Amino acid sequence: MVFICFVLDLRSLSPPLLRDLKQSMLQLANFYAISSPTSSTSSSRSKPLLDRIGLCYLFKNRLSRTDELKVVYSPRGNFSLRDFHHAVNNLPSDAFLPDFNGSGALCCSDLKLSSVLNDKTLYSWGGHSKDITRKVVLISSCIFETLDSATKKVLTDAAANCISVEFVFLEQNSSHLADIPESINKFLKQIGDLDNCSFQNYIPDAHALSGLVKKWFQELKEGLEEQMQARFVFKINLLGSTNRISCNLCTSFNQIIDEFIPCKSCRCHGIPFDTSRTIPTDMSSCPVTGVELGVLDLVDSSVKIGEHTILYMPSFQCLQDLQKVPLPINFNVIERTNLSSLDEGIIFGASYIVTPAFSELDDTDKSELNVKLFRVLCGILHSLDQGLVCSSNCNIETAKQTSFLCYYILLPSEKGVMILRRLAGSEEVLPVPDITNIACIPVSKDIENSLQASLLKIELRNYDPVQHDRGFHQRLNLLVKESLQFGAIPAKAKEPVTASNTALQDPVVEDLSVQANDVEVIEENVLDSILADGKTGAKITEEWEQLVVLEMPKMSSPTCISKLKLHKEVSSPLLSTGKLDDKTSRILERLEIPKQLKRKAASPTLSTFHTVSISSVKKPLIPFGPSNTDSQEIVLSQPIKPNFQRLKRKR
């Protein structure tokens, strides 16, 4: 966790530079307000943002002509974005009283660091925890050529307390006649023996100030998120027995939010209510204590800035209610850019393939012209190796309108299509990490030759997504295969099942029983009338012969189903009465369930076989333990077709 105290030397900052520096301070506070920790637990979201920024300024008292230091914002609790803005906006703009030395450079005699580096201010911030890092940033446009003994003692004591001091020199146009390099060298010699002091020299343009803000913001974020560590492992050794390289991963941009959301908050802690996690009721409770709050304890006109910052507003009715973006989405082309100079670290988000719109329902000539323009534009951009920078008030990943501009890059390709990607704006770009300690390390020729030889052994080919399988189908197929090792849940019988026959039944028996039970029972008078008529009985015999022997009708036909319904209802009782002829009796005997299957239906083992099901009824799966089913397996063959021969009558 880092506490940073900014000390602005208003004596040396001109009004234009002070105005730009104020905006930089406000941007730093805004970045910190929308920052959130890595942890996504509910307890971390309910806690307010800890205050870790201090602000002081040096000025010359016009009456006493003495240098003084004033603390305008001190981190004593939760961060207040409104109070910090108020402190920055009320910095005096008439405190610019420059002094020049003999060489024409701005000079200041007293730094007043003892007023900051003491137990009452910086030393008391954050308590006495060992995990807290404190830092003082002194921003000035004058170089302190000489440091008195009191200032050196204060800096030495700060080093003993692990407090770093950074001197930021912003060079102004009025210093062009002075010998700036010589003055810088003199100051560096005075702080050279102090390990906790550093010096930075900048020309205060937009890029330099933006880089400073992002640098300080990254230091504040060190306590909010952990840096990711990674290792790149090679299949071959790079040098000796080393086959891996350890690295740190950091983001190259900090994506800002798209809008500010109105919300309700408690007056006691200033924490918003999470409406997505709470049940809407007439009573509200404090997110911290859980105590029910009344109407006077609620603040309805609050605005949520990020996850931890709340602003109280007189009314939030003026805020724009962002809706789904209407189609088609407008992208305003701003400029061309060389793709070779485009930093790929600022391109983020999903890629969208762009193709020309063509519709035969519209004007054909206009559609063809639109396609031609698209092809020519893609070809020209590809030949120039350039892209088009566009702006829009739409976030294409959420398909919603945004309160702020979004920037995109339109990239051409040699295939005739283009790709649209999101670009980071000025508020989102973070500076490149400091790599000065990497470039200054000398490298021997042996390491370079060994690493080059190892890289040449790695296969070289153009990337083709089809040739790089992630293993999704293999893994899913394996899961399905394992799931199929469970069995099938037998269909529930309509008659009560006793404890002796609760084992799994064969699917063939189940199919026949289910079909027989689902058949509508034919009334007895209808059967009697059918059997009484000899012609009708002969017709039924002919149809049964076609069904069983010749297999002519379809199983889904109504006549087939009606004949199958007759199987269970007619076979046994009618045979005993002797009302059927011999040919019909033999047919009905062939339709009975084999006796071997009847005995096997009560077996506790699960049988597997090959058969043709009359009705494809899916059965749910049920787990079962491993069993030795190989020896108990039943393989059914096709039923033997009966041979209908005329029986010789005995005379």
Side-chain angles (χ1 to χ4, degrees):
M1 185 179 298
V2 179
F3 283 79
I4 301 180
C5 179
F6 294 94
V7 181
L8 307 183
D9 187 6
L10 301 186
R11 303 166 299 182
S12 61
L13 299 176
S14 62
L17 181 57
L18 179 61
R19 182 181 61 251
D20 296 340
L21 194 58
K22 282 183 178 181
Q23 295 301 319
S24 299
M25 292 289 103
L26 296 180
Q27 291 177 7
L28 177 62
N30 295 340
F31 282 137
Y32 185 64
I34 64 173
S35 61
S36 59
T38 306
S39 176
S40 59
T41 59
S42 58
S43 60
S44 64
R45 290 198 300 266
S46 61
K47 293 181 179 179
L49 191 63
L50 185 63
D51 202 348
R52 295 189 289 145
I53 305 177
L55 182 61
C56 313
Y57 67 88
L58 287 167
F59 70 103
K60 184 181 291 291
N61 193 323
R62 295 180 181 272
L63 298 178
S64 61
R65 306 297 298 177
T66 58
D67 297 325
E68 298 180 3
L69 183 139
K70 186 175 182 180
V71 180
V72 294
Y73 188 87
S74 178
R76 297 294 183 182
N78 301 331
F79 180 69
S80 176
L81 181 64
R82 184 179 62 175
D83 293 346
F84 191 87
H85 273 242
H86 179 73
V88 173
N89 291 326
N90 285 276
L91 289 175
S93 58
D94 57 348
F96 180 58
L97 294 175
D99 292 332
F100 299 94
N101 57 10
S103 60
L106 290 174
C107 64
C108 298
S109 57
D110 194 358
L111 297 179
K112 290 294 181 179
L113 291 179
S114 58
S115 301
V116 180
L117 301 172
N118 54 49
D119 294 333
K120 295 182 180 180
T121 53
L122 186 62
Y123 290 174
S124 62
W125 295 352
H128 301 282
S129 177
K130 296 181 180 179
D131 297 333
I132 294 177
T133 302
R134 299 176 180 88
K135 182 177 182 179
V136 176
V137 179
L138 179 61
I139 304 176
S140 178
S141 290
C142 67
I143 298 179
F144 309 97
E145 298 181 355
T146 59
L147 296 178
D148 54 9
S149 59
T151 303
K152 288 186 178 181
K153 184 179 184 306
V154 171
L155 295 176
T156 304
D157 295 340
N161 290 277
C162 299
I163 297 177
S164 59
V165 180
E166 180 180 350
F167 297 92
V168 177
F169 173 68
L170 301 180
E171 184 177 349
Q172 296 188 120
N173 295 330
S174 59
S175 303
H176 66 282
L177 298 178
D179 191 359
I180 300 299
E182 183 181 357
S183 301
I184 293 177
N185 292 332
K186 290 181 180 180
F187 181 74
L188 291 177
K189 289 180 180 179
Q190 297 184 69
I191 64 173
D193 56 343
L194 298 175
D195 297 334
N196 64 324
C197 295
S198 61
F199 179 84
Q200 303 291 335
N201 182 21
Y202 298 97
I203 297 177
D205 55 2
H207 290 280
L209 294 178
S210 177
L212 281 174
V213 171
K214 305 297 177 54
K215 173 178 174 293
W216 295 329
F217 175 59
Q218 281 186 316
E219 294 178 357
L220 291 173
K221 286 184 62 178
E222 289 181 359
L224 298 177
E225 60 183 9
E226 298 179 358
Q227 191 176 33
M228 293 183 294
Q229 298 179 353
R231 291 186 301 182
F232 294 91
V233 183
F234 295 82
K235 297 180 181 180
I236 57 177
N237 294 333
L238 301 177
L239 180 64
S241 59
T242 303
N243 67 335
R244 63 190 60 189
I245 298 178
S246 301
C247 303
N248 295 325
L249 303 182
C250 60
T251 58
S252 59
F253 64 92
N254 180 59
Q255 188 172 357
I256 61 174
I257 57 180
D258 289 336
E259 59 177 323
F260 302 128
I261 304 174
C263 65
K264 291 184 179 181
S265 61
C266 63
R267 195 178 299 274
C268 51
H269 296 85
I271 298 177
F273 297 102
D274 192 353
T275 55
S276 62
R277 302 176 64 90
T278 58
I279 301 175
T281 57
D282 295 336
M283 297 298 295
S284 301
S285 59
C286 176
V288 178
T289 61
V291 179
E292 292 185 355
L293 304 176
V295 179
L296 298 179
D297 300 325
L298 299 178
V299 180
D300 294 333
S301 57
S302 301
V303 176
K304 194 175 182 181
I305 311 296
E307 294 291 337
H308 301 269
T309 305
I310 293 296
L311 284 180
Y312 301 117
M313 307 293 293
S315 175
F316 54 79
Q317 301 300 329
C318 60
L319 291 180
Q320 182 181 3
D321 187 14
L322 301 179
Q323 302 293 335
K324 288 283 186 178
V325 62
L327 299 178
I329 304 173
N330 292 327
F331 295 93
N332 301 318
V333 178
I334 299 177
E335 58 190 5
R336 289 182 297 135
T337 183
N338 293 321
L339 299 181
S340 58
S341 63
L342 183 64
D343 186 2
E344 296 183 1
I346 64 175
I347 304 177
F348 63 96
S351 301
Y352 293 85
I353 299 177
V354 183
T355 58
F358 181 83
S359 177
E360 296 179 354
L361 300 178
D362 300 333
D363 191 351
T364 306
D365 295 336
K366 291 183 178 180
S367 298
E368 291 181 354
L369 178 61
N370 181 68
V371 175
K372 294 177 181 179
L373 293 176
F374 183 90
R375 290 180 53 188
V376 174
L377 176 64
C378 182
I380 294 176
L381 291 176
H382 184 265
S383 62
L384 297 175
D385 194 23
Q386 294 178 351
L388 297 179
V389 179
C390 310
S391 65
S392 176
N393 281 102
C394 169
N395 186 343
I396 56 177
E397 294 190 5
T398 60
K400 287 186 177 182
Q401 296 177 347
T402 60
S403 300
F404 325 109
L405 284 176
C406 298
Y407 294 96
Y408 299 91
I409 179 71
L410 187 62
L411 302 172
S413 68
E414 61 181 354
K415 302 296 183 180
V417 298
M418 290 191 276
I419 295 177
L420 189 69
R421 296 287 303 274
R422 177 83 179 268
L423 287 176
S426 61
E427 298 94 339
E428 297 170 304
V429 177
L430 290 177
V432 179
D434 186 13
I435 57 175
T436 55
N437 55 346
I438 301 177
C440 63
I441 299 178
V443 179
S444 62
K445 198 67 176 178
D446 296 338
I447 297 178
E448 182 179 352
N449 295 336
S450 177
L451 190 59
Q452 183 178 4
S454 301
L455 289 178
L456 293 178
K457 295 179 182 179
I458 301 176
E459 183 181 1
L460 174 64
R461 63 177 180 179
N462 295 331
Y463 184 80
D464 186 359
V466 179
Q467 299 178 358
H468 293 78
D469 193 353
R470 295 186 58 193
F472 165 76
H473 294 292
Q474 291 85 342
R475 178 58 179 165
L476 183 57
N477 294 343
L478 181 61
L479 292 177
V480 176
K481 184 177 181 181
E482 293 178 357
S483 178
L484 290 176
Q485 294 179 2
F486 285 92
I489 300 178
K492 294 183 179 180
K494 293 186 177 181
E495 64 272 0
V497 182
T498 60
S500 60
N501 60 354
T502 55
L504 300 177
Q505 297 180 354
D506 286 325
V508 169
V509 181
E510 295 169 4
D511 290 342
L512 295 178
S513 62
V514 170
Q515 294 170 7
N517 292 332
D518 291 340
V519 171
E520 297 179 356
V521 180
I522 303 177
E523 298 181 0
E524 294 182 358
N525 54 357
V526 178
L527 292 176
D528 293 340
S529 62
I530 294 176
L531 296 175
D533 190 356
K535 296 181 180 180
T536 306
K539 185 176 180 181
I540 294 177
T541 303
E542 181 180 359
E543 290 182 359
W544 277 112
E545 182 178 357
Q546 293 177 355
L547 171 66
V548 179
V549 181
L550 303 179
E551 299 177 356
M552 292 175 59
K554 296 181 180 180
M555 292 298 157
S556 59
S557 63
T559 58
C560 173
I561 295 177
S562 63
K563 293 174 178 58
L564 289 176
K565 294 178 182 179
L566 291 174
H567 164 239
K568 187 175 182 180
E569 304 292 338
V570 178
S571 59
S572 299
L574 293 184
L575 285 175
S576 61
T577 58
K579 295 182 181 181
L580 299 177
D581 57 2
D582 295 337
K583 189 173 183 179
T584 304
S585 300
R586 290 181 177 274
I587 294 175
L588 295 179
E589 287 178 359
R590 294 303 304 160
L591 292 176
E592 289 185 354
I593 301 175
K595 297 180 180 180
Q596 185 179 9
L597 286 180
K598 291 182 179 180
R599 293 193 302 268
K600 202 63 183 178
S603 176
T605 59
L606 180 67
S607 302
T608 59
F609 46 84
H610 303 283
T611 184
V612 179
S613 176
I614 296 178
S615 63
S616 59
V617 180
K618 294 184 179 180
K619 304 175 181 59
L621 299 178
I622 187 173
F624 67 95
S627 60
N628 187 12
T629 59
D630 296 338
S631 60
Q632 301 173 356
E633 187 179 36
I634 296 177
V635 180
L636 298 181
S637 60
Q638 296 291 335
I640 302 176
K641 297 181 181 181
N643 184 14
F644 295 95
Q645 298 178 356
R646 294 183 177 273
L647 296 177
K648 296 180 180 181
R649 297 181 179 180
K650 295 181 181 180
R651 296 180 180 178

